[in-house]
Structure formats: structure tokens, C-alpha cells
Amino acid sequence: MERIKLTDRVSIDSLVSWDIGFRATEANRDITIPANVKGYKQLTVGEIDGQVKMGNKFFTGTDGLGNNADIKINDERVVKFVFGDNQSGEEPPSATLLTADSVRELLETSPKAKFQETLEKLVVTDSEKKMIISVAKEIGIDNVEAYKISAIEKISGYKFD
């Protein structure tokens, strides 16, 4: 396996429909990640590692391990590097992220109790509450059971129009 260098550029995805801004740890400048951008490669491994170590919730999410984060790191090696215990080689848990794939899986989940449990893990932050409706609409809700639509509206506080 190729060794990770702190200067390597990393592909990330923004999981929200608004710009995300924060202060760089390495360059002492402001960084703006564009809304809904996919495959953004302006950050280095070192910068992402610094953001995780500083506890930037856009990367670390609700638990410090990337769950319910607003930014998805696309390279699994980098995820392991920044969230895993680098000394022991411990694997980080796989992150719960609100993506088109995770919402598609959610909408296919049955029975009702399992759906509700999965929904409550997937939609935790205010960002996710704002995004769940638009992501669900994007993948299609025409054939989705009414209780699922109702549960999504309830947890998000928004309505499907």
C-alpha cells in the first residue's frame, strides 16, 4: 500500500447545500468549501488531519469519528489515517453520513421500527435536518410508504412540497 503523505491532495464531498467555511490550520487563511461540491481536491492530508485534531465538526461530526459530518472524505486510507489510531493501526468505525446512497438505503429499510431507528441515526444535526428532504426528493419518493415520508417530515421539521 502506498504511504500517505501529508502534502497529498484529498478528494472530499460537501454533503450540504450551502458553502462551508473554516480557518486553515496550516496556512492561516480562510477556507470555503462550495455547496454540494463533489471530488473537491484543494485540501491536503495535513490540513484535514489538523481539522480533525482541532475537532472541526464539519469533518468530525457528532462523535469525533466522522459520524453525521457535513464533509465526506472520499479516500478510505485518509479516513483511517485521520480517525484511526495511527500507532496501533486500529480501524475507525464506518461513518454514518447523509448521502444519496444512505437515503436510498433508508427508504428501502423495513419494517417500520428498523426504518425509524435508521432514520434517527442518519438525521441528527441541524444540517442533516435541512438536507434530508432535498436528498430524498432527488433520489425519488414517488413509491415510498406514507409513514416514511411522514417520519422524515417529522424529524426534519420540513415538508415535502
Side-chain angles (χ1 to χ4, degrees), residues 4 65 73-84 92-93 95:
I4 294 176
L65 297 172
I73 303 167
N74 293 321
D75 186 330
E76 280 303 311
R77 297 174 319 125
V78 176
V79 171
K80 289 175 185 175
F81 179 79
V82 299
F83 289 113

Side-chain angles (χ1 to χ4, degrees), residues 135-149:
V135 174
K137 284 166 92 173
E138 177 184 309
I139 63 172
I141 58 165
D142 295 336
N143 297 320
V144 173
E145 295 93 331
Y147 77 87
K148 292 179 180 180
I149 291 173

Side-chain angles (χ1 to χ4, degrees), residues 5-18:
K5 298 180 194 114
L6 294 177
T7 56
D8 288 348
R9 298 279 176 186
V10 181
S11 172
I12 61 171
D13 294 346
S14 169
L15 303 178
V16 296
S17 60
W18 52 87

Side-chain angles (χ1 to χ4, degrees), residues 35-55:
N36 292 317
V37 71
K38 305 293 182 230
Y40 187 79
K41 291 186 106 174
Q42 299 299 311
L43 302 181
T44 63
V45 172
E47 182 61 45
I48 291 173
D49 189 46
Q51 294 297 328
V52 168
K53 286 181 175 151
M54 296 290 291

Side-chain angles (χ1 to χ4, degrees), residues 59-135:
F59 291 94
T60 63
T62 56
D63 64 354
L65 297 172
N67 285 306
N68 306 100
D70 291 339
I71 295 174
K72 177 185 177 203
I73 303 167
N74 293 321
D75 186 330
E76 280 303 311
R77 297 174 319 125
V78 176
V79 171
K80 289 175 185 175
F81 179 79
V82 299
F83 289 113
D85 179 348
N86 299 330
Q87 275 62 31
S88 71
E90 179 183 311
E91 298 267 331
S94 87
T96 300
L97 298 171
L98 185 71
T99 63
D101 289 338
S102 65
V103 173
R104 192 173 292 110
E105 285 178 27
L106 170 71
L107 295 176
E108 294 170 358
T109 301
S110 291
K112 188 175 183 178
K114 179 69 174 164
F115 169 82
Q116 190 64 39
E117 177 186 330
T118 305
L119 176 63
E120 289 172 6
K121 286 181 184 172
L122 188 61
V123 181
V124 175
T125 67
D126 288 340
S127 297
E128 291 162 335
K129 290 174 183 176
K130 291 176 184 172
M131 290 300 300
I132 184 73
I133 297 281
S134 63
V135 174

